[in-house]
């Protein structure tokens, strides 16, 4: 089965592009948008619509395989690729990527994605991570269609992984509506919640961390009140470096604050993502290691999750090798081709570091469904419900795709 044609169409994502630099600097709110001037190159506003590109591979038998190119909400921040706009990148896909794939036999996912991942643009640059991400999704879908298998099975076979017919915990993110959406996640019995979008010191963390401390206390009480005696999810909160800002990167003061958060969360387990932003991969590794050591010295069991400056497969290897975090977020669009996400999960698990198949609210339903197959095959500790920030939609997409796939795989396993 060969690829006979490639087409692309512009699309929208499940959220928005936000200028993280401007938000951290205090951009004001006006309804659902932000006020003030953008600060990150490429942005025309602090918040603008998220854009995607659907890549469709036409197969010899008329089947259509597809994947969506998309970039993260905070594009251009923390060492990530710049803003991804459909009008700018569709010509690159059709003129530069398509010739590499047309006529190719759909016999190996890993071989085909390598044709894109390892190639360069005429100017010598690598292709934008969003392009590599979406095209790799389409290739995986195409190989699965050619072989009449699920995408999970293709990954299991090509990476020689064991089939485990159990769901992967799903992480629901609330966005700024961190109270009502936390209720939604609790009612749906998400395995991990709430993310909470703590991206500003004064309005969300508190200058001494008091706002987040109050929120964690409320969240624990809310889960124990409406969740039932048999529901004990993991609390996972992304603070976008604000704890480092509030405590001036003083490791000891940060560790003392983590101890307070742990007490507020008990009996629930707590993870904090991105406690500080050191401005570089090397600096981030050093600061996270120092914080982990300080927490261990105090007996604080709050886990640290690496995000900023841990963007590529190579970055993840560095963080894992340094044992700089308890868990790494493998932010799928930032890694380019999804084969990098698969390999990053395998690498982290090999060396005893938690793996989180994440991504962004600013993806599409296609990216969310493909990530389910990646997770079911590679077995991370958790995966993100995506896209969007409304809980319901993203959780439904990921949860249902996971259950559908498990049902199919169980049927096949029982018939052997």
């Amino acid at each position: 089965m060969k690829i006979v044609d490639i087409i692309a169409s512009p699309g929208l994502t499940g959220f928005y592009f936000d200028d993280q630099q401007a938000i951290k600097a205090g951009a004001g709110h006006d309804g659902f948008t932000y006020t003030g001037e953008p600060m990150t190159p490429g942005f025309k506003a602090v918040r603008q619509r998220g854009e995607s590109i659907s890549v469709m591979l036409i197969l010899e038998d008329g089947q259509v395989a597809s994947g969506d190119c998309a970039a993260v909400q905070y594009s251009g921040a923390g060492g990530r690729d710049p803003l991804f706009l459909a009008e700018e990148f569709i010509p690159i896909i059709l003129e530069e990527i398509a010739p590499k794939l047309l006529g190719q036999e759909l016999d190996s996912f890993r071989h085909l994605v390598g044709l894109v991942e390892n190639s360069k643009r005429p100017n010598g640059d690598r292709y934008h991570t969003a392009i590599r991400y979406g095209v790799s999704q389409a290739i995986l879908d195409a190989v699965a269609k050619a072989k009449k298998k699920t995408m999970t099975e293709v990954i299991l076979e090509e990476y020689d992984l064991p089939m485990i017919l159990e769901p992967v915990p799903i992480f629901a993110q609330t966005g700024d509506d961190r109270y009502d959406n936390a209720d939604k996640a609790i009612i749906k019995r998400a395995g991990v919640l709430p993310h909470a979008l703590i991206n500003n010191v004064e309005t969300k963390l508190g200058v001494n961390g008091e706002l987040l401390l109050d929120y964690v206390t409320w969240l624990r009480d809310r889960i124990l009140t409406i969740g039932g005696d048999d529901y004990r999810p993991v609390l996972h909160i992304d603070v976008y470096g604000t704890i480092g800002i509030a405590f001036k990167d003083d490791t000891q003061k940060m560790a003392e604050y983590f101890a307070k958060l742990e007490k507020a969360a008990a009996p629930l387990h707590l993870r904090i993502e991105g406690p500080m932003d050191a401005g570089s991969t090397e600096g981030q590794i050093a600061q996270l290691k120092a914080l982990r050591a300080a927490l261990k010295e105090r007996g604080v069991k709050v886990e640290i999750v690496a995000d900023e400056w841990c963007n590529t497969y190579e970055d993840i290897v560095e963080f894992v090798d340094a044992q700089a975090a308890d868990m790494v977020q493998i932010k799928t669009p930032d890694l380019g081709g999804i084969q990098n996400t698969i390999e990053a999960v395998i690498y982290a698990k090999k060396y005893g570091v938690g793996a989180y198949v994440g991504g962004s609210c600013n993806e599409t339903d296609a990216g969310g469904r493909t990530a389910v197959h990646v997770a079911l095959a590679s077995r991370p500790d958790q995966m993100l419900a995506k896209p969007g920030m409304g809980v319901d939609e993203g959780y439904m997409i990921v949860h249902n795709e996971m259950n559908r796939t498990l049902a199919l795989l169980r049927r096949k396993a029982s018939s052997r």
Side-chain angles (χ1 to χ4, degrees):
M1 186 75 68
K2 293 181 180 180
I3 301 169
V4 298
D5 200 5
I6 298 175
I7 57 179
S9 63
L12 297 177
T13 62
F15 204 65
Y16 301 83
F17 289 125
D18 286 344
D19 183 345
Q20 188 185 79
Q21 187 178 0
I23 293 169
K24 281 187 174 181
H29 272 287
D30 178 11
F32 189 68
T33 191
Y34 288 96
T35 58
E37 294 298 315
M39 299 174 68
T40 299
F43 279 80
K44 294 182 178 179
V46 178
R47 169 166 283 173
Q48 57 192 74
R49 73 178 191 176
E51 299 186 16
S52 65
I53 299 172
S54 290
V55 176
M56 290 161 277
L57 308 183
I58 312 302
L59 312 190
E60 279 184 301
D61 64 354
Q63 291 188 91
V64 179
S66 63
D68 283 355
C69 304
V72 298
Q73 174 188 8
Y74 295 116
S75 290
R80 300 184 181 102
D81 274 6
L83 203 62
F84 183 75
L85 302 177
E87 183 180 30
E88 180 181 348
F89 287 96
I90 284 179
I92 294 173
I93 292 170
L94 297 180
E95 295 167 16
E96 298 179 27
I97 299 292
K100 303 177 191 301
L101 297 176
L102 285 173
Q104 292 289 340
E105 192 73 42
L106 289 163
D107 54 1
S108 169
F109 163 69
R110 296 176 76 174
H111 168 69
L112 290 173
V113 292
L115 297 178
V116 177
E117 188 75 20
N118 301 323
S119 63
K120 299 286 183 69
R121 297 206 60 206
N123 64 5
D125 291 342
R126 295 190 76 183
Y127 287 98
H128 195 292
T129 49
I131 289 179
R132 290 182 272 137
Y133 182 47
V135 171
S136 68
Q137 293 171 37
I139 291 171
L140 179 59
D141 187 27
V143 172
K145 283 182 164 62
K147 294 188 174 184
K148 295 182 171 59
K149 294 180 177 178
T150 64
M151 290 187 280
T152 300
E153 290 169 288
V154 172
I155 297 168
L156 289 171
E157 290 175 3
E158 296 205 23
Y159 287 89
D160 194 25
L161 298 170
M163 183 181 292
I164 300 173
L165 298 176
E166 296 295 334
V168 172
I170 299 173
F171 176 20
Q173 58 180 341
T174 65
D176 278 326
D177 193 2
R178 60 188 60 82
Y179 293 92
D180 285 349
N181 277 346
D183 276 1
K184 291 181 181 182
I186 295 166
I187 293 168
K188 290 183 183 292
R189 304 183 76 78
V192 188
L193 72 154
H195 186 277
L197 200 68
I198 308 298
N199 59 4
N200 183 278
V201 173
E202 292 185 1
T203 61
K204 297 178 182 179
L205 182 84
V207 293
N208 295 303
E210 69 280 0
L211 297 180
L212 177 56
L213 194 61
D214 288 345
Y215 177 67
V216 170
T217 301
W218 174 86
L219 185 62
R220 175 206 61 198
D221 291 344
R222 193 66 172 161
I223 290 168
L224 297 180
T225 299
I226 71 171
D229 294 338
D230 60 343
Y231 179 59
R232 294 294 182 267
V234 171
L235 303 186
H236 181 137
I237 295 174
D238 192 347
V239 299
Y240 296 91
T242 55
I243 292 177
I245 295 171
F247 294 96
K248 298 179 173 56
D249 288 329
D250 186 317
T251 301
Q252 299 306 317
K253 289 182 179 178
M254 292 171 71
E256 291 171 8
Y257 178 61
F258 271 60
K260 295 177 182 177
L261 290 174
E262 181 179 47
K263 184 177 179 181
L268 304 175
H269 184 61
L270 177 63
R271 295 181 183 134
I272 296 293
E273 181 175 340
M276 79 289 287
D277 186 341
S280 69
T281 300
E282 296 75 16
Q284 192 76 347
I285 287 173
Q287 289 196 24
L288 288 179
K289 285 188 71 174
L291 180 56
R292 282 194 81 199
L295 293 174
K296 185 176 181 180
E297 185 179 338
R298 285 170 170 75
V300 177
K301 293 181 172 55
V302 176
E303 290 186 329
I304 295 173
V305 183
D307 180 7
E308 273 71 31
W309 303 103
C310 187
N311 301 320
T312 65
Y313 173 79
E314 293 76 16
D315 291 340
I316 288 166
V317 169
E318 281 193 59
F319 276 77
V320 169
D321 287 351
Q323 295 290 296
D326 299 284
M327 174 178 280
V328 286
Q329 183 187 171
I330 301 164
K331 189 166 282 189
T332 49
D334 285 339
L335 271 76
I338 55 170
Q339 74 279 3
N340 295 322
T341 293
I342 298 164
E343 291 166 16
V345 173
I346 293 169
Y347 193 86
K349 289 175 62 179
K350 180 179 178 180
Y351 292 100
V353 175
Y356 156 32
V357 170
S360 176
C361 55
N362 194 49
E363 294 189 50
T364 70
D365 57 319
R369 289 196 303 272
T370 304
V372 167
H373 294 272
V374 169
L376 285 175
S378 61
R379 309 304 302 182
D381 296 272
Q382 64 187 48
M383 72 161 295
L384 185 66
K386 57 185 182 179
M389 286 285 200
V391 175
D392 296 316
E393 300 84 355
Y395 196 88
M396 172 193 68
I397 289 167
V398 169
H399 180 272
N400 291 357
E401 183 73 9
M402 190 176 295
N403 281 359
R404 278 192 296 264
T405 304
L406 286 170
L408 288 170
L409 295 177
R410 287 178 184 131
R411 177 181 179 274
K412 288 186 178 182
S414 65
S415 64
R416 287 177 184 149

